[in-house]
Amino acid sequence: YYFELSVRRDGFSGLAEGNKFGTFGGASLMWNISREPFVAGIDDIISDMRLKASYGRVGNMSGIGSYASLFLYSSGVYGAAPTWTFSQAGNPDLKWEASDKYDVGFSFGILNDRVQADLNWYYNDVNDLILNVPQAPSKGIPGNTVPANIGSMYNTGFEFTLTTYNISKPNFTWNTNFNFSTLKNEVTALAPGVTNLLGYTSTLELTNRTVVGLPIGNIWAVETRGVDPTTGRRIFVNAAGKEVLYSHENASKWTYRDGTGVAPVISLATDGKAVGSPLPKFYGGLDNNLTYKGFDLNLGLTYALGFYVYNGSKAGLRDQRWWNNSVEVYETAWKESGDITNIPKPVFNDNVSNGSAMPITDNVEKGDYVKVRTISAGYVFKNIPGNTGIE
């Protein structure tokens, strides 16, 4: 039986007096079942088996800058006149962001540890989350935001690791390590009066919102359903679920697809919705290591599944203002009645149909990937020829 306890006290000089220090720590337990008498009869198969659990409270200050608690002013020159301007609204009430972490795990080894596995469940409750809180422009605060410990969220899931020693010969070895993790993230609270936090791409496109009950930074867009084959106009879906067509060249730009007349203007504020999380539901990696005499080879793969990205480049490359278009606009845009395509009829100055004016679901894409993280090969020289001068 194993028990471990730790306590630490951390300080950050960027916080105001009274909040500079935080006390954190944790405790862990482990039971080595393979040492128990009732396992003795099968120890030739099960070489190791352990149950473990832990709790820890961890502090974090990576969410703010070194002077976020201070009110700052900047000097400058306007012509020949010296100036003194308000440049940052600080928050002297800022304190440590903290996480309460719970873990329960089970690990085992079989066949003399040639196969080792580790399964863990985790729950991470993030308290006093530090984020920039939007402020009314009328307050005159630089950047219209103030950092604050405004809310909380949690991460939970399972982690599985499998290590196998496939071949263990004097001149040839091969081992594999595979890991698989799940992640569920949910925002549980924001500051009083704050219904959402907005995220922009280079301060241009509003593509992400953080709201209570959804993952942090959820992609926010207006639903679209391709292009109407008869008119070549983009099909938008309003908050009521009705299909609306957009035409940049007509006086009545927004009309119902069913022909019932002019429709209210579609906007992100009234018709946008959460369409996908940028956080992967599953992620992990696979590593293979091989050696043959003096040679070694390593191949490492990583993967992430179940998340979405907003392809703002697609909107720009299809924008019909004085911008260059991608070749697909020339090749596949709607040209005549009956065309089946996802690029509407090109109309000069149209920056709405393809998502430049507001994010649309046509530009939201799955981000799933599997990629090579590392690939390497080498050779170990054990006897270097004397005439090289290398020892």
Side-chain angles (χ1 to χ4, degrees):
Y1 304 93
Y2 301 85
F3 174 74
E4 184 176 331
L5 179 68
S6 64
V7 178
R8 59 181 292 162
R9 186 163 174 80
D10 295 302
F12 179 56
S13 60
L15 297 176
E17 290 298 330
N19 294 324
K20 289 183 182 294
F21 290 91
T23 302
F24 309 100
S28 62
L29 294 166
M30 186 178 69
W31 175 26
N32 190 345
I33 305 174
S34 57
R35 300 290 297 273
E36 297 291 349
F38 59 81
V39 186
I42 56 173
D43 54 4
D44 56 334
I45 299 176
I46 300 177
S47 46
D48 186 66
M49 184 185 299
R50 307 183 184 213
L51 282 175
K52 50 192 176 180
S54 66
Y55 163 77
R57 184 166 177 81
V58 180
N60 175 46
M61 289 306 302
S62 62
I64 66 169
S66 299
Y67 307 102
S69 65
L70 303 178
F71 288 78
L72 302 180
Y73 295 82
S74 299
S75 61
V77 177
Y78 183 77
T83 62
W84 187 250
T85 59
F86 181 31
S87 60
Q88 176 181 291
N91 182 359
D93 295 326
L94 278 177
K95 59 183 180 180
W96 281 83
E97 182 179 293
S99 300
D100 291 303
K101 298 186 175 184
Y102 306 85
D103 289 273
V104 177
F106 174 66
S107 61
F108 64 89
I110 59 176
L111 303 176
N112 292 321
D113 282 345
R114 289 193 63 180
V115 178
Q116 302 173 15
D118 193 45
L119 177 64
N120 293 279
W121 169 84
Y122 69 91
Y123 183 89
N124 184 11
D125 183 16
V126 183
N127 311 240
D128 298 320
L129 189 65
I130 298 174
L131 292 172
N132 289 321
V133 180
Q135 305 292 312
S138 59
K139 291 184 177 181
I141 293 175
N144 297 324
T145 62
V146 172
N149 301 91
I150 65 169
S152 60
M153 68 177 183
Y154 72 82
N155 298 313
T156 187
F158 290 91
E159 298 175 329
F160 174 71
T161 301
L162 179 66
T163 301
T164 60
Y165 295 87
N166 310 309
I167 300 175
S168 298
K169 301 292 185 181
N171 291 324
F172 181 47
T173 65
W174 171 31
N175 62 73
T176 302
N177 181 274
F178 171 76
N179 61 83
F180 173 82
S181 299
T182 68
L183 170 64
K184 179 184 178 182
N185 169 268
E186 183 177 320
V187 176
T188 52
L190 293 177
V194 177
T195 58
N196 59 70
L197 299 176
L198 308 180
Y200 295 85
T201 58
S202 302
T203 68
L204 178 63
E205 295 171 309
L206 172 58
T207 56
N208 300 79
R209 292 194 186 195
T210 297
V211 300
V212 173
L214 292 175
I216 190 170
N218 219 77
I219 297 176
W220 209 267
V222 174
E223 182 183 355
T224 52
R225 295 178 180 171
V227 174
D228 179 46
T230 303
T231 62
R233 297 164 65 179
R234 173 75 68 193
I235 304 170
F236 290 80
V237 181
N238 64 18
K242 300 192 69 173
E243 294 185 341
V244 179
L245 301 179
Y246 177 79
S247 176
H248 195 76
E249 55 191 342
N250 294 345
S252 300
K253 291 181 168 32
W254 301 95
T255 56
Y256 289 110
R257 191 184 183 192
D258 60 11
T260 55
V262 178
V265 174
I266 297 283
S267 71
L268 185 64
T270 58
D271 304 289
K273 62 181 183 180
V275 296
S277 172
L279 303 178
K281 293 181 179 179
F282 314 102
Y283 61 93
L286 175 67
D287 284 280
N288 278 283
N289 296 281
L290 297 94
T291 65
Y292 176 69
K293 294 184 177 180
F295 295 93
D296 60 82
L297 175 67
N298 170 262
L299 174 63
L301 305 177
T302 60
Y303 64 90
L305 308 170
F307 72 105
Y308 293 85
V309 295
Y310 185 76
N311 190 347
S313 297
K314 184 190 291 186
L317 291 171
R318 295 178 179 180
D319 195 309
Q320 293 303 303
R321 290 174 290 180
W322 289 99
W323 296 10
N324 290 327
N325 285 160
S326 58
V327 175
E328 62 178 349
V329 175
Y330 172 76
E331 294 176 341
T332 63
W334 186 93
K335 299 179 179 62
E336 58 184 24
S337 181
D339 283 351
I340 305 298
T341 179
N342 66 332
I343 301 180
K345 174 185 176 181
V347 178
F348 180 61
N349 270 336
D350 181 3
N351 70 328
V352 175
S353 296
N354 291 310
S356 285
M358 59 185 168
I360 60 176
T361 56
D362 193 69
N363 296 334
V364 178
E365 301 175 347
K366 285 188 174 183
D368 300 356
Y369 68 83
V370 177
K371 65 180 181 180
V372 176
R373 185 184 73 250
T374 58
I375 182 169
S376 63
Y379 181 77
V380 177
F381 292 92
K382 294 183 178 180
N383 297 303
I384 300 176
N387 57 7
T388 64
I390 302 175
E391 297 182 358

